[in-house]
Amino acid sequence: MAVNRELRVADTHPADYPTVQALNHMGRLLTERSQGRLGLKVLHSRLMGEEAETIEHTRIGALDMARVNLAPLNGLVPETIVPSLPFLFRSAEHLHNFLDGPVGAELAKALERRGFIALAYYDSGARSFYNARHAIRRPADLKGLRIRVQQSPVAEAMVQALGATPAPLPYGQVAVGLKTGLIDGAENNWPSYQDARHFEAAQFYSLTEHSMAPDVLLMSKKVWDGLTPADQDLIREAARESVGTMRTLWAAREQAARDSMTAAGINVNTVDKAAFAEAMRPLYERFTADPRLKDLLRRIQAVP
Ligand code: GTR
């Protein structure tokens, strides 16, 4: 169907990544239901630049939407710090209950105050450390390693708490950084580790599962405010429906990536998780000094 107005949405992931597929699904729904008045142009594979740029472009309205992780928003929207804290979510169920409930809606309000309409939260699994040197079993094994982290003060502090040196590089530079030895390792979920080809140089994947910061689909509030309420409803509804698709795709993709990486001979090991949680605990005090954030933390923890 020919589309009248194509909203441009940026995603750094490649065409077959679950987030991109979920956006394609959302675009189809939107076009069908608006009878061709609205659609999505999904600009994947970093076509619109790295995550930090797509966030800024969305904020100022130069881009309509961006699918990003919460961590690179930490500097801009303080409330996003809380769900980016390590060892916060007890399970995917705890995370979903938070995102789908009133506390998730409150986070969306905080994003709105900073110029973003949060249309949907997408799964991003659990992030673990991987590196080119040796298996990481306890925090001391990270000592002295240079580890790439997302561009967020929380992510930097996490690695510092373990005695490693954080390197906040954009996602697109990680594979080369690993290959050239600029960095020793990084941390991410299984699908990113595989699709961004980090496994080629970093062959030790250690199951710290320290962070479950979700992804989010942001729309520019500037663009949003120029739409009719009826079109806003259509967009919200299509985004809401893409979440179920995303969760199904994610669960399958996460397992498939883990299986294929294991079959390819990657060294996978379990860790002493309690020791990692303990080493990172001081981040809670440091990053939730603001009483509003402390309160948000308590309420996320209290979600069943
Ligand atoms: C991925 C996430 C991306 C990006 C990336 C990174 O898991 O989906 O949005 O934040 O990690 O490490 O930069």
Side-chain angles (χ1 to χ4, degrees), residues 11-13 17 19 50-51 67-72 123-124 127 130 148-151 169-172 174 187-189 192 198 213 215 250:
D11 194 325
T12 50
H13 288 306
Y17 200 87
T19 51
E50 297 284 358
E51 212 153 304
R67 192 289 317 157
V68 298
N69 188 253
L70 283 189
D123 280 29
S124 199
R127 301 174 75 98
Y130 43 87
R148 180 274 173 171
V149 292
Q150 290 164 292
Q151 290 166 301
L169 296 176
Y171 190 50
V174 182
E187 46 85 60
N188 220 315
N189 54 48
S192 294
H198 298 173
D215 288 355
W250 181 261

Side-chain angles (χ1 to χ4, degrees), residues 26-220:
M26 174 180 162
R28 281 191 296 271
L29 292 177
L30 200 55
T31 303
E32 247 168 60
R33 293 174 186 174
S34 66
Q35 274 133 21
R37 255 181 325 99
L38 295 172
L40 289 190
K41 187 168 180 64
V42 185
L43 302 157
H44 53 78
S45 309
R46 291 202 307 282
L47 258 173
M48 301 309 288
E50 297 284 358
E51 212 153 304
E53 299 164 66
T54 68
I55 290 171
E56 186 50 20
H57 287 155
T58 303
R59 199 183 61 78
I60 63 175
L63 192 58
D64 300 311
M65 296 183 199
R67 192 289 317 157
V68 298
N69 188 253
L70 283 189
L73 286 160
N74 290 169
L76 214 55
V77 187
E79 288 81 354
T80 63
I81 287 177
V82 182
S84 307
L85 285 168
F87 297 106
L88 172 64
F89 296 107
R90 300 180 296 273
S91 61
E93 197 193 352
H94 178 205
L95 173 73
H96 291 163
N97 288 345
F98 152 61
L99 296 175
D100 299 345
V103 194
E106 204 184 300
L107 180 66
K109 281 278 166 225
L111 284 155
E112 188 168 342
R113 288 194 291 274
R114 308 282 165 158
F116 304 106
I117 303 296
L119 291 175
Y121 295 115
Y122 286 159
D123 280 29
S124 199
R127 301 174 75 98
S128 288
F129 286 101
Y130 43 87
N131 78 100
R133 307 263 169 254
H134 50 243
I136 305 293
R137 296 181 201 283
R138 27 191 126 52
D141 296 331
L142 271 152
K143 216 174 172 54
L145 296 187
R146 216 172 131 75
I147 303 292
R148 180 274 173 171
V149 292
Q150 290 164 292
Q151 290 166 301
S152 137
V154 180
E156 288 191 40
M158 264 182 342
V159 159
Q160 265 156 354
L162 302 172
T165 307
L169 296 176
Y171 190 50
Q173 289 177 24
V174 182
V176 172
L178 288 167
K179 272 198 189 114
T180 57
L182 171 71
I183 47 175
D184 301 299
E187 46 85 60
N188 220 315
N189 54 48
W190 282 109
S192 294
Y193 172 66
Q194 178 175 32
D195 284 7
R197 308 197 76 76
H198 298 173
F199 69 91
E200 286 175 355
Q203 305 228 327
F204 295 93
Y205 192 101
S206 307
L207 293 162
T208 48
E209 298 180 330
H210 52 274
S211 161
M212 287 180 72
D215 288 355
V216 61
L217 174 60
L218 299 176
M219 177 148 188
S220 176

